[in-house]
Amino acid sequence: MSSIRLAVDIGSSKTAIYQVGGGVILSEPSIVAVSSAGRKTLITVGKEAKKLLGKSASGTSVIFPVSEGEIARANYAENMLKEFFRRIELSAFTGAEVLAVIPCGLESKKIQRFRDLFSASGVSNVKFIENPIAVAVGMNAPVTESDPCFIIDMGGEITNIAAASLDGVIAGISVNIGGVNIDNMLIDRVEETYGLRIGAQTAERLKCDIGSLLPDDTTSTVINGRDINSGNPRAMQIQAKDIIEPVKLYVNKIYELASMVMAKLPPEVSAEIRKTGIYLSGGLSKLVGLEEYFHNEFALSVKVSPDAQLSAVIGAGRIMQNEKVYKKLRIL
């Protein structure tokens, strides 16, 4: 047996690492900051790199190496993963075994890019598991080889929607829609409605602090930005009900796509889903009112993950600890 066993989830917004026997040992933004001059040397990654987003000087570039669930810039992804491995002192171990979480239905050539990334980062023993299966186990859903459940995992740039069991994904999709879409819509909404230009980090905070599906939600927060007329800094207070439209646009699209997946399920699977309901995970599953909204739209019970952004990596880690399931599950 390997001296160290890790589950790794490299997402567009966050990278998480789970060590068997130790739990989640790293959770950092999937961001790299590099010097723009010359050979573009690495400055920092993760939380420190995110702090530079929208604030970096002309000589520094802030890069997202993973885009829409895929390896977009391999060299920067390698720098990032090597640094994360250094932070957990992976070099102190030999023969590490990794189970990596990937989007539902990812093409084989794109899976190979992840395999190449791990190999370049010093890990050759790597297997892959699709996100919905890992999320189901991470949320303690009543899933077995014959008992499926329905998963909606809403990430930063990608949403996974699937009916899955421990035998694999029965029907599912991954779509390039996520929290970043809401952030971009909020930037446009605030500028068009209030004449205030805000940055990506402010938009993300706005979404996380007061994002809501309740029409009369008066929860508020103060945001800072640049007045588009004067060019001067300006602050304003904004309420949850003022930004419900862009939030609802995203949620309605997810509902539409999930309904399409449900319509493709065999009758026996639909019957099981009727009993077990829907399992929500990912950062956006914490939107105020989302659980009730989906309950009303689907007419099904809805359960939200207590570990919204870590369900997949926790589930992959648990699967590695169950040798019977790990050996029988169809690992890519």
Side-chain angles (χ1 to χ4, degrees), residues 22-23 54 85 94 98 116 129 149 168 184 221-222 237 248 255 267 274 278 297-298 305 323:
F85 283 162
T94 57
V98 167
D116 293 341
I129 186 167
C149 65
N184 292 334
T221 189
V222 174
Q237 188 174 50
K248 212 167 185 179
Y255 167 72
R274 179 68 190 170
I278 296 171
E297 294 296 318
F298 288 107
S305 172
E323 293 298 329

Side-chain angles (χ1 to χ4, degrees), residues 80-265:
M80 180 182 74
L81 191 56
K82 281 182 175 179
E83 173 59 19
F84 288 154
F85 283 162
R86 188 195 66 78
R87 291 180 184 181
I88 65 170
E89 300 180 340
L90 182 61
S91 59
F93 301 88
T94 57
E97 179 182 1
V98 167
L99 180 60
V101 180
I102 55 173
C104 176
L106 196 65
E107 299 172 7
S108 58
K109 64 180 181 180
K110 294 176 181 178
I111 296 176
Q112 185 60 45
R113 290 177 190 168
F114 276 97
R115 197 180 304 278
D116 293 341
L117 169 63
F118 279 98
S119 178
S121 303
V123 175
S124 57
N125 186 4
V126 57
K127 296 182 176 66
F128 300 94
I129 186 167
E130 291 179 282
N131 169 280
I133 304 170
V135 169
V137 175
M139 288 187 65
N140 291 315
V143 60
T144 66
E145 290 181 347
S146 57
D147 298 315
C149 65
F150 198 86
I151 300 295
I152 302 177
D153 181 71
M154 300 173 286
E157 290 189 1
I158 191 168
T159 294
N160 288 273
I161 304 169
S165 72
L166 293 186
D167 191 44
V169 172
I170 299 166
I173 56 173
S174 60
V175 292
N176 299 333
I177 302 174
V180 172
N181 295 88
I182 295 182
D183 297 346
N184 292 334
M185 287 189 286
L186 288 175
I187 290 172
D188 294 339
R189 172 84 174 190
V190 170
E191 181 170 339
E192 292 168 3
T193 307
Y194 305 105
L196 186 71
R197 184 68 179 175
I198 60 174
Q201 291 204 67
T202 299
E204 182 183 18
R205 182 178 65 81
L206 184 60
K207 173 189 66 187
C208 295
D209 288 355
I210 65 170
S212 172
L213 289 162
L214 304 179
D216 299 319
D217 194 334
T218 57
T219 306
S220 66
T221 189
V222 174
I223 56 173
N224 294 277
R226 187 185 74 243
D227 188 287
I228 62 171
N229 293 316
S230 69
N232 294 328
R234 177 161 67 88
M236 66 167 291
Q237 188 174 50
I238 192 165
Q239 293 185 334
K241 63 182 181 180
D242 299 325
I243 60 168
I244 191 172
E245 288 184 21
V247 174
K248 212 167 185 179
L249 276 172
Y250 166 81
V251 171
N252 285 340
K253 186 62 178 179
I254 297 305
Y255 167 72
E256 177 187 332
L257 292 166
S259 297
M260 290 171 56
V261 173
M262 286 185 177
K264 297 178 181 179
L265 298 178

